[in-house]
Amino acid sequence: MAKVIEGLYYSESHEYVRVEGEFGFIGITDYAQHALGNVVYVDVPEVDDEVTAGEEFGAVESVKAASDLMSPVSGTVVEVNEALDDEPELLNQDAFENWIIKVQLSDTSELDNLMDAAAYEAFCEK
């Protein structure tokens, strides 16, 4: 069973957001990295780009497939995880430790549309 962490918000497209103050750290879930297999490339937006909840912001490529990254929240990209440029496999090692982008949240009410850990776990079991 894929690991699910309490206190994060989850989307149906298997991204998570960890909220710290006005910022959200967005990444893919453990379930997603298991489904993808060995990650070989991560395509990310630039700092200062806008992301919109429910819209694509990048992609993850694995030896098996490429998968679009859908933003669970809206905001402005303030940081990208540079380590993934050289070591995209970090997502396989620990998807929750290795977030992809950090955004300044523009509308925290969007978090209400996401699942908590228990709901996400149930969603993945379907």
Side-chain angles (χ1 to χ4, degrees):
M1 174 71 195
K3 183 166 81 172
V4 177
I5 294 182
E6 291 290 333
L8 303 181
Y9 297 89
Y10 296 90
S11 68
E12 290 188 359
S13 53
H14 305 289
E15 287 84 18
Y16 69 84
V17 59
R18 182 178 81 237
V19 177
E20 292 182 7
E22 63 191 46
F23 298 102
F25 294 82
I26 299 171
I28 61 170
T29 64
D30 193 49
Y31 180 94
Q33 73 82 14
H34 276 294
L36 281 164
N38 294 333
V39 174
V40 294
Y41 179 71
V42 184
D43 180 33
V44 296
E46 303 283 320
V47 169
D48 292 331
D49 281 359
E50 297 290 322
V51 295
T52 304
E55 292 188 11
E56 181 187 335
F57 72 86
V60 174
E61 292 178 23
S62 71
V63 291
K64 286 199 272 188
S67 181
D68 289 337
L69 293 166
M70 307 302 282
S71 187
V73 291
S74 300
T76 305
V77 178
V78 293
E79 194 178 339
V80 298
N81 187 345
E82 306 278 349
L84 298 176
D85 287 349
D86 297 326
E87 297 181 272
E89 65 276 7
L90 288 170
L91 293 177
N92 295 118
Q93 291 167 21
D94 191 333
F96 292 115
E97 277 299 308
N98 295 288
W99 49 272
I100 297 171
I101 60 172
K102 176 182 176 181
V103 299
Q104 184 160 14
L105 301 169
S106 59
D107 183 0
T108 54
S109 71
E110 291 173 341
L111 297 169
D112 298 339
N113 302 328
L114 300 172
M115 294 175 274
D116 64 9
Y120 181 69
E121 218 165 321
F123 175 78
C124 289
E125 285 172 4
K126 288 182 190 168

